Amino acid sequence: MLCKARKDKQVKMNKKTLNIVIVGHVDHGKSTVLGRLLSDTGSLGKGRLKQVKVNCEKNSKLFEYAFLIDALKDEQSQGITIDTARVFFKTRKRNYLFLDAPGHIEFLKNMVTGASKADVALLIIDANERVQENTKRHAFLLSMLGINNVAVIINKMDLISYDRKAFKEIVADCRSFLSAIDIEPLSFIPVSGIKGDNIVERSDRLNWHKGDTLLGAIESFVKKKDPLNKPFRMPVQDVYKFTNFNDNRRIVAGSVISGDIKVGDEIAFYPSGKKANVKSIEVFNSPKHVKAITGEAIGITLTEQLYIKRGEMAISSQEPFPQAATRVRASLFWLSKKPMVKGKDYIFKLGTSRVLAKIETISKTMNTSDLSEARLAKSIDKNYMAECILQLASPIAFDLTQDFLETSRFVIVDDYHIGGGGIVLEALEDKNSAMRNKVVLRNYKWIKSMIPRSQREEKYGHSSALVFITGNQNSGRKALARALEQSLFNKGRLAYFFGIGNLLYGLDSDIKTDGKNRQEHLRRLSEVSHLMLEAGMILIVTAINLSQEDIRLINVAVEPEKIEIIWVGKKLTTNIEYDLKVDSVKNMDKAIKAANNLLIEKGTFKS
Ligand code: GTP
Ligand code: MG
């Protein structure tokens, strides 16, 4: 026989592998059809079929082809952890990877997290039960995730006596439903998984069907070619530091989702906009690479030391930039029992980034089993799709669905479980967008010092920090700031205090001091702070009644982990989230000690 099933490791995942996801309503025969395909092509390991049959007999169970898939699942899960059956299958023409996903959540999770990128989907429909709710929901998910290559398998034809007329009715029904969600099926194939009709061999009982068998159809699927010049995208998985003496290198690790990158190329990281050249490409247990391509898990070292974190997206600075925003318009599919509601914090995961997200508005919802629409819904119920605006707690980088689907898909986590997922349709402005754009450009154009940050820290005996001392008028902010500056200075630290007044009549003298210019004043304050932090300083800044919104704005220009906030005064009169509250500065020694402890705790210096 021409086919041979192989286990995970043996099959080389080369470009010719076609990934097929099998979806459909519960019990419509997904596993049976797949089991039969493997069995009839002689793709099962030696004796496998017999073994499963003997097992069934021993347990007085009727043999099911689906058990073959379950058996594979058990076998595989001993080696690697997988929650969905992944079945490899090989013909002379190419390799296949089948994904038999047990439910919507697994299906969505696999697709969105990139555990599998399906080239084609088989939508299995029971000829007797016809199109059911999950048939529609799965089709809807396929459409939303951009998997438009779908073949419809009408299974259990034996139960309707191989009736051509009934088959045609199901096809018509299916076509009209699928066209409403922009799916044009590649083919409709009548089969019986149990009897083996039209799976591998043509069946006399279905001789009215002139199209392909299932195997024939699979073999003739054309894999969509990845468009040439797809931009380089690598979500940063982690940043590792070498620990060897005097080795300051950091390795930025991740998997290349698309495009390629070579040693010497200039890459940028979004949403920060920081950039550097690729110094080396490291691949685990492999000689050094000069180039990395789509699908490879790599580590990159850079010509300059950048401070980037997991969640940023590496791109090539010669190619289109991704979007960066904290507000997005998204299309979302909700799968959890508990409806998704406004005002609640959820975790939004896209690529390797993870941020808190809230629904701002829901513009419409749609019941995915009948496509009925509702406007002005207050929540998103189970199995509903919604178009909504999401507010993210911090900026993330992504692409828009129409530009690039892989980096546009996200999942929403609710109480540690995946609640739903979707795609980003549009990046929206927020209050800080203008400033963020300036900061991205600033980072992009930044001329790096040749002295690495770590060497500066070593020399000064501390890292840089921005200590904001805020509170009401006459609360003693300035007194504390001065005393803290003095105490740090006495210990040989590079500390400097400046009040906002120092900026207002100097750097800010061209803009009025009224409320209208507050954002610009804060932007300049942030930029000056950023410069001094780069120089290695512990900077102490006093400002009256800072709010959390002010801090959010400052965070755009200054790394949030560099900022410590001290509130002075018994009563908190803004919504600021402080790191330390000093009720009074009457006992200045005590206040200074507390501020010192805060800096030790945050790792600015050791003691
Ligand atoms: P889930 O994984 O639970 O969603 O089910 P599934 O879609 O994988 O269905 P499965 O293959 O487990 O089959 C469900 C039932 O339908 C089993 O009892 C099969 O024997 C039966 N079945 C599958 N294909 C056929 C068929 O072609 N004809 C008949 N008569 N029964 C079938
Ligand atoms: Mg199954």
Side-chain angles (χ1 to χ4, degrees), residues 216-229:
I218 287 172
E219 288 278 74
S220 60
F221 287 149
V222 180
K223 191 179 164 113
K224 249 200 253 166
K225 274 215 182 94
D226 279 347
L228 287 175
N229 310 326

Side-chain angles (χ1 to χ4, degrees), residues 457 459-465 484-497 536-540 592 595-597 599-600 603-607:
E457 287 171 358
K459 178 150 186 133
Y460 300 154
H462 58 82
S463 58
S464 58
L484 182 62
E485 180 192 32
Q486 188 69 56
S487 126
L488 291 169
F489 181 80
N490 290 349
K491 286 191 180 145
R493 292 180 174 131
L494 217 59
Y496 182 67
F497 155 59
M537 292 261 177
I538 299 174
L539 191 64
I540 305 158
I592 295 295
N596 242 300
N597 285 343
L599 291 169
I600 292 169
T604 308
F605 43 75
K606 286 212 171 71
S607 58

Side-chain angles (χ1 to χ4, degrees), residues 238-256:
D238 227 322
V239 181
Y240 302 101
K241 223 176 132 176
F242 282 87
T243 43
N244 287 352
F245 190 61
N246 262 352
D247 193 343
N248 289 311
R249 278 182 307 156
R250 278 154 193 265
I251 286 202
V252 182
S255 289
V256 183

Side-chain angles (χ1 to χ4, degrees), residues 25-32 64 66 100 102 155-159 191-195:
H25 196 74
V26 179
D27 276 355
H28 277 198
K30 300 180 285 293
S31 306
T32 303
E64 290 267 5
D100 182 11
N155 184 33
K156 308 198 189 179
M157 286 301 291
D158 54 297
L159 293 184
V191 305
S192 166
I194 279 212
K195 310 274 182 206

